[in-house]
Amino acid sequence: MGLRSLKPEALKLPPGTSDLLGCQRRHTLPASEFRCLVPEDAVSVFEIEREAFISVSGTCPLHLDEIRHFLTLCPELSLGWFEEGRLVAFIIGSLWDQERLTQESLTQHRPGGRTAHLHVLAVHCTFRQQGKGPVLLWRYLQHLGSQPAVRRAVLMCEDALVPFYEKFGFQAVGPCAVTVGSLAFTELQCSLRCHAFLRRNSGC
């Protein structure tokens, strides 16, 4: 009915070949992988971020040194999507300990905070329009929901992006106090209780 897999012995491979094949399989990069980012990923993160934001807003949410800063202090609040070892999309966050975002929240990580501040979500230009942004955000919120100390997520975005985030449970709470140059933003918040429940019941 179908092809029958053959063992190396059946193929009469030279001695030691099966061990070599096993070694190659162990070193094969996974086709798709989600993991927290580390400082060594900072350059790849910045390259994607710079391409995604400079042409649109003229500035990046995070500079390279700030990316390294957050990936050193709170790597568990980041998530990267890798295809065959190559970073294709990412989210970087940090903890915040106030009800609303302030200018200081752009660069600070407050370990005692219960709020995850999502600084940036970006997708490599080659992989856009493939639904990767929504998938990554959903996985990230589930990831946050598995961390008992984190109660909610907060972010700021331009008005055009508000409907996108509302699909994931974010609710607009009004204009954000943070400004970047001439850009103004809406602040959105999301309770992580439902995402924690989905995480516990998804088998992930």
Side-chain angles (χ1 to χ4, degrees):
M1 294 293 292
L3 294 176
R4 182 164 56 91
S5 60
L6 297 176
K7 297 181 180 179
E9 292 81 1
L11 295 174
K12 296 183 179 179
L13 297 174
T17 304
S18 58
D19 293 336
L20 177 59
L21 292 174
C23 180
Q24 290 175 337
R25 281 194 296 269
R26 286 193 296 272
H27 289 83
T28 298
L29 293 170
S32 186
E33 176 190 20
F34 294 87
R35 66 165 172 82
C36 294
L37 299 167
V38 295
E40 289 75 18
D41 297 313
V43 172
S44 296
V45 166
F46 184 64
E47 289 176 350
I48 294 175
E49 181 197 36
R50 182 173 54 187
E51 190 280 328
F53 286 92
I54 289 293
S55 61
V56 177
S57 61
T59 186
C60 287
L62 296 175
H63 298 298
L64 181 57
D65 59 336
E66 294 168 337
I67 293 171
R68 288 197 177 104
H69 173 72
F70 286 126
L71 295 186
T72 299
L73 292 181
C74 48
E76 72 281 1
L77 296 173
S78 68
L79 190 65
W81 187 344
F82 293 80
E83 296 279 1
E84 297 183 346
R86 177 188 184 187
L87 181 66
V88 300
F90 70 88
I91 295 176
I92 291 179
S94 66
L95 288 180
W96 185 238
D97 60 359
Q98 297 183 29
E99 179 64 24
R100 298 289 296 271
L101 295 175
T102 68
Q103 207 73 30
E104 289 76 19
S105 65
L106 297 183
T107 57
Q108 294 188 14
H109 168 62
R110 302 277 180 84
R114 294 298 186 94
T115 298
H117 173 203
L118 281 63
H119 291 275
V120 56
L121 183 163
V123 179
H124 191 284
C125 59
T126 307
F127 297 88
R128 290 180 198 146
Q129 306 301 319
Q130 298 178 20
K132 281 184 164 47
V135 171
L136 180 62
L137 180 56
W138 182 256
R139 282 187 172 253
Y140 182 74
L141 292 173
Q142 287 188 307
H143 171 65
L144 292 180
S146 70
Q147 303 183 40
V150 184
R151 301 292 179 82
R152 63 175 183 155
V154 62
L155 59 84
M156 63 184 203
C157 69
E158 296 182 71
D159 289 347
L161 290 173
V162 170
F164 169 78
Y165 288 106
E166 287 178 333
K167 295 176 182 178
F168 297 88
F170 282 89
Q171 295 181 333
V173 295
C176 186
V178 179
T179 58
V180 179
S182 61
L183 297 176
F185 306 94
T186 297
E187 185 170 333
L188 297 95
Q189 298 179 359
C190 174
S191 170
L192 295 173
R193 290 181 180 178
C194 63
H195 292 282
F197 173 82
L198 290 171
R199 175 79 179 186
R200 288 195 300 269
N201 293 276
S202 67
C204 296

